[in-house]
Amino acid sequence: AFAPDGRSLAAAGVDRAVRVWDLPVDADGTVSKPRAAADAPLVLDAHDDVLTACAFAPDGKRIVAISTNGTARLWDAVTGDSLGVLARP
């Protein structure tokens, strides 16, 4: 999922983690080059099961990730802090 401003990319994985990359963006809004391997992504990894999806909030400040066990975890997109967990009833 791309952040609303196009400057970050989040991907949910079968390893139970979301990875968030900062993208180098030119003044016209296009991604200028692939990120260097040395620039590690922010890893959000407190889920208990495989992830099926992730998305940024409209303001780009939070990320939600959905797991196959029916939980959704909310994250701070900048710090990586867990903001809470929602479980299906």
Side-chain angles (χ1 to χ4, degrees):
F2 283 95
D5 65 3
R7 296 180 178 274
S8 297
L9 175 67
V14 296
D15 62 352
R16 305 175 184 182
V18 175
R19 285 175 174 72
V20 183
W21 291 270
D22 292 327
L23 302 175
V25 179
D26 290 336
D28 66 358
T30 60
V31 175
S32 61
K33 62 180 179 177
R35 193 175 162 95
D39 295 332
L42 176 64
V43 179
L44 314 175
D45 63 356
H47 279 276
D48 296 328
D49 213 337
V50 174
L51 300 179
T52 58
C54 66
F56 280 89
D59 63 5
K61 294 180 180 181
R62 292 169 308 281
I63 296 171
V64 65
I66 309 300
S67 178
T68 56
N69 68 2
T71 61
R73 185 175 294 270
L74 189 63
W75 303 91
D76 183 294
V78 176
T79 66
D81 291 339
S82 177
L83 301 175
V85 178
L86 300 170
R88 70 177 162 202

